[in-house]
Structure formats: C-alpha cells, structure tokens
Amino acid sequence: DAGVTQSPTHLIKTRGQQVTLRCSPKSGHDTVSWYQQALGQGPQFIFQYYEEEERQRGNFPDRFSGHQFPNYSSELNVNALLLGDSALYLCASSALGQGNSEQYFGPGTRLTVT
Amino acid sequence: ILNVEQSPQSLHVQEGDSTNFTCSFPSSNFYALHWYRWETAKSPEALFVMTLNGDEKKKGRISATLNTKEGYSYLYIKGSQPEDSATYLCAPDRDDKIIFGKGTRLHILP
C-alpha cells in the first residue's frame, strides 16, 4: 500500500518563475491538503481539495492555485515566485468522504527560490 | 484567526525520564485535535486524533489528554527513549481546516 508521494523532492527556481508540485494520495483517500512549512514555523495550511474542487483555503495569495484530478492526485501551482516562497511544501491526504479527517503526510518538496 | 500555541518550544530530557508538553488553542468551533510526530528528514506521522472533551488516548509510552472547554491538550511521554527525539506538532481542526502550532522540539539525552 503506497503512502503519500510527492514530486519532485527538491526544486530550485528563480524569482518570477512559475512552479508546479505534485502529490499522489494514499490509496483509498479522496482528499488532498497542501501546507507550506517555512523554517522555524509549523506547517501553514494553503488549501484543501475534495471532489476536484477547492474546499477550504488558508491565508495565501491567488498566486497559489491548485487542482485535483479524477484519480484524486493533486497539483500545487505557484506563479510569480518570490524569495519568501522558499519553503518545504507538504501534501497530506485523508478520507474525507468517509468522515475521517486523519491526515497522512508525504515527504514534501523542498522549493528554493533564488 | 485561530491561535495555536505549543510550549515549550524546545525541551531536553534525559533518557529514561518522563516528560510532557502543552498545546493551547481557542476552544470555539472546535472539531478535533491532531497530534503529529515529525522526525528529521521524514514525513509528519499521525499520533492521535481526539474529539471529545476529556478524551485520553494512548499509544505505547505516549499518551495525550484533551480539554475542549478550556482549549488545551497535553502530550505525555513515559520513559523517554532516543527514538522519541522529534518535533511534536499539535493541530486543532476547526471547520475542517487544520491549523498547526510551531511544535515542541524534543531532544533525548543519552
């Protein structure tokens, strides 16, 4: 049973560029949440996708957008990258459709913006 | 804005000793509280999900209690072992939005 997977593991981008991060949920899970974890902080909620729609959103600008596919996998897109977007991006999946909010996290994507 | 506070930020404990730390959160619109253990270079691992006031959960040497009326949860570790070294994150679930604290960084000293 594969757990949550994320790609790529590491990524280096330049200011102003755009980036796409990918997440595959744990088998049987239908909900994907994205978090940004900056150094010294706890993970900050970006948004959650369920049934291919953005269900909840945290306090992040519109430069952060996402998508969920019919197979429940998800993408996080960040446009017009800023230096401050450098962080670890975590994806977590859960089985919201079964009323279970327990989340399983992926290993994360380390994004560095130069 | 939901304000989640964890204390202490960092803790050094002698191997074999027991320890505990705190998570406090606004008690309004509470749905559930999650505790995670996050070891360096690994993914956060779910420890407990608690929903009811007075809930007490146990997993081996680790246990947690929940007070939803006053908005706090304690995590206890009995007889600390080197493998307990990690960051412990609490995350209250409010309106299906999980907000994380900054965590308590636990170091077990041999």
Side-chain angles (χ1 to χ4, degrees), chain A residues 61-80:
Chain A
D62 292 344
R63 297 186 298 109
F64 289 76
S65 64
H67 189 77
Q68 186 179 34
F69 298 95
N71 67 353
Y72 307 117
S73 67
S74 177
E75 288 181 350
L76 164 66
N77 301 293
V78 188
N79 293 324

Side-chain angles (χ1 to χ4, degrees), chain B residues 51-72:
Chain B
T51 55
L52 299 175
N53 186 43
D55 248 357
E56 195 167 327
K57 295 274 178 93
K58 190 170 164 46
K59 188 175 183 178
R61 294 178 293 100
I62 304 177
S63 60
T65 60
L66 176 66
N67 183 319
T68 60
K69 290 183 179 177
E70 294 180 45
Y72 64 84

Side-chain angles (χ1 to χ4, degrees), chain A residues 34-95:
Chain A
W34 285 93
Y35 295 86
Q36 180 196 67
Q37 200 247 344
L39 206 60
Q41 302 293 318
Q44 300 292 308
F45 175 73
I46 303 174
F47 42 53
Q48 183 185 75
Y49 277 85
Y50 173 64
E51 294 188 331
E52 301 180 50
E53 289 191 1
E54 185 184 287
R55 187 171 171 274
Q56 294 280 354
R57 188 178 182 93
N59 208 19
F60 279 80
D62 292 344
R63 297 186 298 109
F64 289 76
S65 64
H67 189 77
Q68 186 179 34
F69 298 95
N71 67 353
Y72 307 117
S73 67
S74 177
E75 288 181 350
L76 164 66
N77 301 293
V78 188
N79 293 324
L81 284 167
L82 303 174
L83 294 178
D85 296 331
S86 295
L88 179 69
Y89 288 85
L90 292 164
C91 158
S93 73
S94 55

